[in-house]
Amino acid sequence: MSHKPEYFMYRALELAQKAANEGEVPVGAVVVFEGEIVGKGWNQPVSGCDPTAHAEIMALRDAARQMDNYRLIDCDLYVTLEPCTMCAGAIIHSRIRHVYYGAAEPRTGVNESICNLFAQPWYNHKVKVTGGLLAGKSKQVMKSFFSERRKSK
């Protein structure tokens, strides 16, 4: 079965909501190979006491285990927020083919916000990047999360 990119971003948004329900910043990600989700992740740095437990990293780890290979050739990553420097490095090293992300991240995003790390010529792997997929929904999940946190303080 062939799904449109929005289908996979909605799956990532469901995982972002899971992160929010666990008290984590609501970011979700899925890795897709041949039209099937092979990796899922959501932000878990607080609950896991792990600064590297961003949604993208967790999804890449899950996919690598499922595919029994750290190189995720011909895989695409859908994430609700523009990747940070750490996640961009992991995406490049894992050989992800295409990243789709929802909302821009003005403070730490490295595709359109503070720089374009994916476009640097020194990397031996080029990742195609498409931003703004369901950006409004991604922004709303973040806005709601932080609004609720402010209310509870």
Side-chain angles (χ1 to χ4, degrees):
M1 179 186 321
S2 179
H3 295 290
K4 291 184 178 186
E6 290 81 2
Y7 171 84
F8 296 112
M9 187 59 78
Y10 276 114
R11 304 298 71 82
L13 283 161
E14 290 167 0
L15 294 168
Q17 190 57 57
K18 180 177 177 65
N21 295 344
E22 294 175 2
E24 300 278 0
V25 173
V27 181
V30 295
V31 175
V32 176
F33 177 68
E34 295 182 347
E36 298 294 324
I37 294 174
V38 295
K40 296 178 182 179
W42 57 94
N43 264 6
Q44 300 172 58
V46 175
S47 61
C49 296
D50 180 355
T52 69
H54 288 193
E56 300 95 319
I57 301 295
M58 303 308 283
L60 293 172
R61 288 174 181 165
D62 189 33
R65 282 190 296 270
Q66 297 301 320
M67 298 189 71
D68 199 30
N69 194 338
Y70 76 98
R71 289 199 171 163
L72 302 174
I73 308 293
D74 295 326
C75 288
D76 300 326
L77 175 73
Y78 294 79
V79 60
T80 58
L81 192 66
E82 181 182 4
C84 71
T85 303
M86 173 185 68
C87 292
I91 289 164
I92 292 165
H93 287 294
S94 67
R95 307 300 196 268
I96 287 290
R97 173 178 59 192
H98 194 152
V99 172
Y100 296 86
Y101 67 88
E105 190 359 293
R107 291 180 311 249
T108 62
V110 295
N111 181 66
E112 67 179 270
S113 295
I114 60 170
C115 67
N116 188 343
L117 202 54
F118 292 105
Q120 297 311 306
W122 51 78
Y123 292 118
N124 64 336
H125 176 70
K126 299 300 178 206
V127 179
K128 185 173 180 185
V129 182
T130 302
L133 182 63
L134 300 180
K137 293 198 180 296
S138 295
K139 286 179 191 173
Q140 188 54 50
V141 169
M142 288 291 233
K143 197 173 186 177
S144 295
F145 175 78
F146 286 108
S147 175
E148 285 300 313
R149 279 184 64 168
R150 283 190 295 278
K151 284 180 194 173
S152 67
K153 284 188 175 182

